[in-house]
Structure formats: C-alpha cells, structure tokens
Amino acid sequence: MRGPLSSMTSKTSSLKALLLRAWRERWSDLQWGIHIKTILPRGVSGDVYNLADCILQQALVGPGPNQLVVSYLKHSLSSQLVSYAAVLQRISKYDGFHKPHCIISLLEFLEAIQGGITCRGKPEEGLLAAAVLSIVQWLLTCMQHALKNLPELKNGNIELTPMLDKPAVILAELLKCDFLVAMLYLAKHECRDVYHEVVKKCQEVEALMSQNSFQPGVPIGDSMRSTGFLNMCSHNVVSTGCNKSPLCILCYFKMNDVIDNPADCEVRSVIRFLSARHLKPAEIYRQLKEVYGDTVMNERNVRKWCEMFNNGRTNVHDETRPGRPSLITEDLKTKVNDRILQDRRTSLDELYIAFPDISRSLLGEIVSQHLGYHKICARPHTAASTRELLDQFGWEIFDHPPYSPDPAPSDFHLFTKLKDFLGGTRFGSDEELKKTVNTWLNELAAEEYNTGILKLLNRYDKCLNVGGDYVEK
C-alpha cells in the first residue's frame, strides 16, 4: 500500500516531468494552466507538492533565467495554484549570486507581484509573515553582494547595477504597504532569529556604504533606515509631521482609504502591534474604525484581544475547536435517496413536504453534495433558437430533462473540461473571458471533439434501451 509520503513524491515527480515537457514543446502559460490541472487534485494547493520550488528550480538551472518557465510561475500564482508565501520563501532561499541574470530576473518578478501580495482567506496566512521577513533579508543580501563588488560596477559591469538599485526600490515600496509592514512586525516576534539576522545585515550594508563613495542611481540610505524600523520602533517615537516616512505609517497605521472585509488575523495583527506600542484599547479601536470602517471588530473584543496579547499570547489565529455535530446522517441520506428513486421527477418542494423537519437548504445540500444529483426536476431546453436549429437539422427530440439525475444524451463532454480549466480564474471583462475560451478551444486537438461526438451514440442507446427508466452513469 502506498503511503502519503510516497504519493506526494510521485506527484512531485510528475510535476517535474510536466515542466520538462512544457519546455520541450514550448507551451504557452495558458497551455501550462490547462495541463497542470490534470496532475494537481481538484481543490488542492500546489504548495502541498512544492510546485513553486519545482518551477523556480527549473527556471534557474542555467546561467540565465528561463523566462518561459518563469511565466508558468506567474500563471500559477494568478490562478491561485501556489500561494504568495510559498513563492516568497522559495525566492529567499536562492543563493546563486554568481548568476546575476537569474538574480535580476527574480528581482523583476518581485517588482511585478509585490503589489498583490496578500493572505486574506487562505490557509497559508500563518506563513506569510515569515516569508515577507525572509524576502527582506534576501533583498539586503543582494545589496550586500553588489556593494562588495563595487570595483566591477565602477568598471562598467552593468549587470551589478540592478542588483543594487532594484532591492532599494522594492524595499521602499514594501514599506509603503501597511499590511506588509504589519506582517513584518508580526514576524519580528515569531521569527526572532531571522529578525536579528536582518538587523545584522542592515548594519553590514550600512558599513559597506560608508566605506565607498559610490552613489547608485537609486538612494539606498532611505531604504536602509526604513528597513531598520523594526528595531527602532520599540525605542523611538516618530513625529507625525513626516507624512511620507514609512516609519510614520508604521507607528500610526493610518490610511486614506477604508479597507473593506479585512481578515480576522490582519485586524488582530494590528491590535497586537498597537498594543505593543502601549496604546489604550479605546484608542486602538478608534484607529481600527478609521482604517477599516464601522464593520470592524467591536470595542469589547478589542479589549479582550489586548488583554490576551498583554498576557503573553502571540498567535493571532483562532484556536482549533470541535464544531457542532452534523445534522446530516447516513440514515437521513438513505431516506432522501430512496424518496428520489421512487419518483425520479420529484422536486425539492416535494422533498420538503416529505421531510418537514428538515430545512430546504439542508435538503439541497444532501441532494447535490452528498448524493451527487444535479438539479432535480429541471425543465428541458425550450429556447426558440434551440428548437429552430433542431428542426433545421431534422433531429428527433427526446423528452429528457437535461439536468435530471439521468445522463442527458445531449450533454457535451467539453463543458466539464472547460469548467475545470476556468476554475479559480478571474477575468477583468467579458472580452477577456471570450478570448481565453476561444484560445482554449482552438488549441484542442481534433480527437477531443471526435471523442465527444462518438460518446453521444452510447448515451443515445442507453436512454432508448431502458424505455425512459432511470439510467446509471
């Protein structure tokens, strides 16, 4: 019997093989998105199988970056196949500074994604704080490497210039984001060893800067001082007059726009930070309302969390606790299924009459999620355009509801695959959606369409041979 570890290793090997095939056949990122879903189980994050690690390992194997494979990582990130935490942690572990083109490619990748870094509503939210702190440490290491090689930079080695300029730009932008600053402050307490390494790295970079008179295209001093805020916040009070300082943003955590629907862990991280600044619960609640609006946590709960943090609590997430027992039992599912089999055209209203003690929503959940039925007692196709087309082709029409528990002979096999392909993807406009679907359809092989048409014959015979009785899939 194969254990969980063996299964995970097998999946990782399959992902690596798929990456090699994608590179050999020069797949586009859209093709990659189609094929990767044939390997990853539905609803499972690629983080479980180290997808980000596999992609970056393949993209950075040579002296220069493989931009095609890097595009696969961007697509996986936008499709939520991998988390920001996993990607940031993998980048922070890369130490190939002897390959400057690869370093520059990673810096450009960070510039492109840093505006969307988030953990709201994802199970990886507990990992993001450590990942952000690790990426800060890696950016400082890039700057340190470039400063140690300033003689080459002065002699015209343009490869080192972005390694000095881009980390400063990324750090400055990172420290303008209040959410990421809160993550850094949280990581200061949860990852003390890494934090001390960051402070040490800041001191080393400052020492190298003082030894050289070379001035890069982007000022590093401001970024360095802002990066050291985690050490200064516990000792200094920053004047509110400096509105452009990231330190001011951190200490007072004010934003011009109200943030809607924040994650609970985000609000609690802010409470923990402001409580450590010795602000009173009433003042913390006032600032929370200013930033998150009237729907934020009430003052009573703010006081409760302040007290817990002051008593030594460090975890901002809910404790695991047993839930209420499920009302859906095996006996109930059996009774509902038997009732449907007695009359295959029964409706949800009729089920509600047959089981008056069970709510309609619970019956709907049993029918769709537990028994696996589609919509029951649905109307057949009645659109005028559909009937005109059927008459034009001279096809015989079967009185068969297309979403009944029986498999309709007119079901088209591409719809399920298209649904899987579009799952988890967001589109900015209808035109973008149409373009994506058309591209997907055009890239399918002719055999895919032929297979679906031939399957109609088998479904046709099934529905005819049973004489209208129930048909198992």
Side-chain angles (χ1 to χ4, degrees), residues 9 23 86 94 96 142 160 217 248 271 312 329 360 429 439:
T9 304
W23 166 241
Y94 185 72
C142 291
L160 290 175
C248 178
I271 294 174
T329 62
R360 284 177 55 87
S429 63
T439 303

Side-chain angles (χ1 to χ4, degrees), residues 32-48:
W32 164 258
I34 296 173
H35 288 85
I36 188 64
K37 293 180 180 179
T38 63
I39 293 181
L40 290 179
R42 188 178 182 89
V44 176
S45 171
D47 295 350
V48 177

Side-chain angles (χ1 to χ4, degrees), residues 29-201:
D29 56 352
L30 191 60
Q31 289 175 299
W32 164 258
I34 296 173
H35 288 85
I36 188 64
K37 293 180 180 179
T38 63
I39 293 181
L40 290 179
R42 188 178 182 89
V44 176
S45 171
D47 295 350
V48 177
Y49 306 108
N50 300 319
L51 178 58
D53 186 85
C54 293
I55 296 176
L56 279 177
Q57 185 178 9
Q58 183 64 31
L60 306 175
V61 69
N66 187 327
Q67 295 297 346
L68 181 60
V69 180
V70 173
S71 71
Y72 298 159
L73 182 60
K74 291 181 181 179
H75 186 277
S76 300
L77 194 58
S78 63
S79 301
Q80 302 180 9
L81 296 177
V82 294
S83 67
Y84 283 99
V87 173
L88 295 179
Q89 284 284 13
R90 178 59 183 85
I91 292 176
S92 67
K93 294 177 182 177
Y94 185 72
D95 58 355
F97 294 98
H98 61 285
K99 298 191 288 186
H101 292 293
C102 292
I103 296 293
I104 293 171
S105 177
L106 291 178
L107 290 171
E108 292 172 348
F109 182 84
L110 283 175
E111 276 189 305
I113 70 168
Q114 72 176 101
I117 295 176
T118 181
C119 66
R120 297 176 183 176
K122 293 186 177 181
E124 297 88 3
E125 61 187 12
L127 306 175
L128 186 62
V132 174
L133 184 61
S134 296
I135 210 66
V136 169
Q137 183 183 23
W138 184 79
L139 291 171
L140 292 171
T141 304
C142 291
M143 296 167 63
Q144 184 183 36
H145 176 81
L147 288 168
K148 286 181 178 179
N149 293 272
L150 272 180
E152 296 182 30
L153 190 63
K154 293 178 180 179
N155 292 332
N157 188 345
I158 60 174
E159 295 175 351
L160 290 175
T161 304
M163 293 179 61
L164 189 59
D165 292 345
K166 287 187 178 297
V169 173
I170 295 173
L171 280 174
E173 292 300 318
L174 185 148
L175 294 169
K176 292 178 183 178
C177 177
D178 299 88
F179 173 70
L180 295 180
V181 168
M183 290 292 102
L184 285 173
Y185 189 84
L186 182 61
K188 170 188 174 181
H189 297 278
E190 295 184 347
C191 310
R192 295 182 182 274
D193 293 339
V194 179
Y195 165 68
H196 290 310
E197 288 295 324
V198 169
V199 174
K200 181 180 178 180
K201 191 76 68 175

Side-chain angles (χ1 to χ4, degrees), residues 203-341:
Q203 296 170 351
E204 292 172 356
V205 173
E206 286 180 334
L208 287 171
M209 289 173 55
S210 63
Q211 295 171 8
N212 297 277
S213 58
F214 178 79
Q215 291 296 328
V218 178
I220 297 180
D222 291 341
S223 297
M224 288 301 304
R225 285 189 292 272
S226 298
T227 305
F229 73 93
L230 293 174
N231 190 37
M232 294 186 293
C233 278
S234 59
H235 303 288
N236 299 331
V237 177
V238 181
S239 172
T240 58
C242 184
N243 293 329
K244 295 183 179 180
S245 170
L247 289 171
C248 178
I249 297 176
L250 172 66
C251 294
Y252 295 93
F253 214 82
K254 293 182 179 179
M255 288 180 256
N256 293 328
D257 298 326
V258 173
I259 297 178
D260 295 325
N261 303 319
D264 289 341
C265 68
E266 178 183 343
V267 176
R268 294 166 189 170
S269 298
V270 176
I271 294 174
R272 183 181 175 186
F273 162 64
L274 295 177
S275 179
R277 294 286 301 161
H278 306 296
L279 269 68
K280 294 182 179 180
E283 175 62 16
I284 294 176
Y285 174 67
R286 186 191 67 77
Q287 294 195 30
L288 286 174
K289 286 188 64 177
E290 181 180 345
V291 174
Y292 297 109
D294 295 332
T295 59
V296 75
M297 181 188 301
N298 59 44
E299 187 173 357
R300 178 181 178 182
N301 284 327
V302 170
R303 292 182 181 276
K304 182 186 74 173
W305 280 99
C306 286
E307 182 178 356
M308 288 191 291
F309 288 139
N310 292 333
N311 291 335
R313 175 165 179 160
T314 59
N315 186 13
V316 297
H317 308 290
D318 290 320
E319 301 290 348
T320 303
R321 54 189 178 184
R324 58 182 295 183
S326 175
L327 298 176
I328 302 176
T329 62
E330 292 298 326
D331 181 59
L332 178 59
K333 289 190 287 186
T334 301
K335 291 180 179 179
V336 173
N337 191 48
D338 291 342
R339 180 65 179 82
I340 294 176
L341 293 179

